[in-house]
Amino acid sequence: MVGLREGARVQMPRSRNGQFLKLSAEEKRALPYLWPYWGRSEQQPPQGAWTTWLYMGGRGAGKTRAGAEWIRARAESGRGRRIALVAATAADARDVMVEGESGLLAIAPPWNRPVFEPSKRRLTWANGAIATLYSAEEPDALRGPQHDTAWCDELAKWKRLDAAWDNLQFGLRLGVRPQQVITTTPRPLKLLKAIMARSDTVMTRGTTFDNREHLAPAFFDEVIRRYEGTRLGRQEIEAELLEDVPGALWTRTMLEAAQSQGTTPDLVRVVVGVDPSGTRGGDGRDSVGIVAAGKTMEGRACVLADATCSLSPAGWARRVAETVAQHKADCVVVETNFGGALVEEVLKAANVGARIKSVTASRGKVARAEPIAALYEQGRVGHALGLGELEDQLSAFSTEGYLGDGSPDRADACIWALTELMLERGNAAGWLEFAAHEVRRRQGRL
């Protein structure tokens, strides 16, 4: 059976009444695997000379299938001999790119299915083409290996994005014209926008609605309807690359600057902020915001970790205790507006290993957020890597309120932690400094 030719465009022969002409047994066997015929136009690799094909699509738009079919075509045609498969985590590479419902094993024809060796992180085709799995969490694994082909799945989720991307690019040097495909939902990341701006990048888009016939009706009735028309829906369904919201308290530029400052080892104090009053998680439980932050000797803050979860009260209390132990926190700041004394009792029962400080939100979210946003404007807050979901919530805060979907549980927990570290009223001089800064900022906005 002949392999799939990369970039082929196939027109199946039809009779005058639109029915397929009589096919041979071999053609009938090959027909289900003829992706150039079955795939939508935006799922097909672009024509011409390019280095990067960026396919930005909504949830369930068929990104994984498009990436897998392109890799299959490269391998079967012989143009892809050494292939890199890079995902956000090792589990994603295996469970989605290789063994998933639209992964390389599922879409391969029985007569040319690659052999998967999980212990070696490797797939091998009959013609000798080899694909190796990599995790973006371990960018140094990409330092050294050479490739002629790469597939980067959900690049916007990569925690060590810059390092993983840079190492991959240095190794993409085999063959006459190395090429790579990126399949991802969009996020306004500096690197992603730089890739889009390159002259050797070709971009296609797909929405969740484009692939509706292959998705469960209940998914549209219960999930898509809930988010359709919202800002989150525009990003996750329509695949729009959304920039700063009007009047954003945290701009993407501010958050990128915080990331560049990174973590510092000389922390004199660490606290964990907890917001138990979040939105419903997938299992019906509330999402509890849990964020650790520290303060340096120089008076700067650093957000260290986001341990937000959707667990039972005992479960999220254990997660708080684990976060306290991991970062050697001396205080847990917990909002008790919706749980009262019960929230504090749950934490005490978990023996969190730190002082518990209950706080009540007497002001609105924006009023609590603005002084913390001022700290970011002054460059006094850094971020550890891998805080993408927290940063998305912070970027949805505006002068008009929180414009994101659901409750900003992560952001609230972060704000409580930073308020305790940087704006505690016992430090009168510091409090007055930030209060005066806020007054000047508001006057300039009027």
Side-chain angles (χ1 to χ4, degrees):
M1 193 73 67
V2 178
L4 182 66
R5 183 167 60 86
E6 183 189 359
R9 295 292 187 268
V10 178
Q11 176 112 22
M12 289 297 295
R14 293 173 180 268
S15 66
R16 191 176 303 171
N17 64 4
Q19 299 297 315
F20 289 126
L21 293 176
K22 187 175 181 179
L23 302 175
S24 67
E26 186 179 23
E27 288 171 332
K28 289 179 180 178
R29 186 182 175 206
L31 183 58
Y33 303 97
L34 201 60
W35 180 247
Y37 177 77
W38 296 111
R40 303 190 309 272
S41 59
E42 73 273 12
Q43 293 178 299
Q44 306 294 341
Q47 300 290 337
W50 50 269
T51 300
T52 303
W53 171 27
L54 172 58
Y55 179 21
M56 290 204 302
R59 300 285 186 94
K63 303 184 297 296
T64 302
R65 181 65 184 269
E69 290 287 0
W70 182 71
I71 292 295
R72 173 194 159 203
R74 291 278 290 186
E76 291 184 354
S77 68
R79 295 186 65 184
R81 303 293 297 175
R82 293 295 179 268
I83 302 167
L85 306 177
V86 192
T89 67
D92 288 339
R94 181 189 66 246
D95 299 342
V96 177
M97 302 175 81
V98 176
E99 297 181 333
E101 292 185 356
S102 299
L104 285 163
L105 295 179
I107 60 101
W111 58 88
N112 198 14
R113 180 165 290 135
V115 176
F116 181 39
E117 299 172 275
S119 62
K120 296 181 179 180
R121 302 178 294 109
R122 187 169 70 192
L123 290 99
T124 306
W125 279 261
N127 64 1
I130 294 174
T132 304
L133 282 64
Y134 298 95
S135 166
E137 293 182 320
E138 301 176 352
D140 283 346
L142 287 160
R143 185 188 298 272
Q146 302 180 86
H147 307 98
D148 52 43
T149 303
W151 174 16
C152 306
D153 190 46
E154 291 297 353
L155 180 137
K157 286 174 51 181
W158 292 9
K159 290 186 176 182
R160 304 188 66 183
L161 175 57
D162 290 335
W165 176 258
D166 290 343
N167 283 342
L168 175 63
Q169 300 312 295
F170 282 123
L172 199 63
R173 56 181 184 251
L174 293 180
V176 177
R177 187 176 186 87
Q179 291 182 307
Q180 60 193 341
V181 62
I182 301 171
T183 52
T184 188
T185 47
R187 277 183 57 207
L189 303 175
K190 183 178 180 179
L191 177 61
L192 186 57
K193 288 187 281 188
I195 294 170
M196 293 169 62
R198 291 179 51 133
S199 60
D200 58 351
T201 296
V202 178
M203 185 172 66
T204 58
R205 293 180 183 271
T207 73
T208 306
F209 295 102
D210 294 334
N211 202 35
R212 185 166 190 160
E213 64 178 299
H214 300 293
L215 301 174
F219 176 69
F220 280 85
D221 294 339
E222 299 173 12
V223 179
I224 298 302
R225 184 178 299 174
R226 187 188 316 159
Y227 295 105
E228 188 176 7
T230 66
R231 182 176 175 83
L232 183 63
R234 288 169 59 197
Q235 175 177 285
E236 301 294 324
I237 300 172
E238 300 289 345
E240 288 188 41
L241 188 69
L242 302 178
E243 298 293 346
D244 296 331
V245 300
L249 297 182
W250 282 269
T251 66
R252 286 291 175 177
T253 301
M254 290 164 55
L255 293 169
E256 287 171 4
Q259 294 169 11
S260 67
Q261 296 173 28
T263 59
T264 51
D266 56 339
L267 299 175
V268 296
R269 191 178 181 215
V270 176
V271 302
V272 175
V274 180
D275 175 50
S277 54
T279 53
R280 290 282 172 180
D283 57 2
R285 295 193 177 106
D286 286 342
S287 179
V288 178
I290 304 170
V291 173
K295 185 177 182 179
T296 70
M297 295 178 64
E298 295 76 23
R300 291 184 63 258
C302 184
V303 182
L304 304 170
D306 176 6
T308 298
C309 60
S310 295
L311 298 172
S312 66
W316 65 253
R318 284 194 302 271
R319 180 68 60 86
V320 172
E322 292 166 359
T323 307
V324 167
Q326 179 181 354
H327 298 283
K328 298 180 174 60
D330 61 81
C331 180
V332 174
V333 183
V334 57
E335 180 184 334
T336 56
N337 283 54
F338 295 91
L342 181 60
V343 171
E344 190 171 344
E345 291 302 318
V346 169
L347 288 171
K348 288 180 179 178
N351 191 22
V352 295
R355 178 172 64 94
I356 300 172
K357 179 178 178 179
S358 299
V359 291
T360 303
S362 57
R363 299 180 296 161
K365 291 184 184 297
V366 173
R368 296 199 308 275
E370 283 182 325
I372 302 303
L375 291 169
Y376 282 77
E377 285 185 314
Q378 294 178 336
R380 299 186 64 176
V381 182
H383 274 202
L385 297 173
L387 300 175
E389 291 177 294
L390 168 61
E391 289 161 358
D392 286 345
Q393 287 192 358
L394 291 173
S395 69
F397 265 101
S398 80
T399 54
E400 301 301 318
Y402 179 68
L403 303 182
D405 184 75
S407 174
D409 36 54
R410 303 169 193 270
D412 279 343
C414 178
I415 290 167
W416 284 123
L418 292 175
T419 299
E420 171 67 19
L421 285 172
M422 305 294 285
L423 302 180
E424 55 186 2
R425 293 183 181 271
N427 182 354
W431 180 261
L432 290 174
E433 175 190 346
F434 290 111
H437 174 85
E438 185 61 30
V439 169
R440 290 194 298 272
R441 194 166 72 90
R442 290 191 181 189
Q443 287 174 342
R445 192 168 63 224
L446 294 175

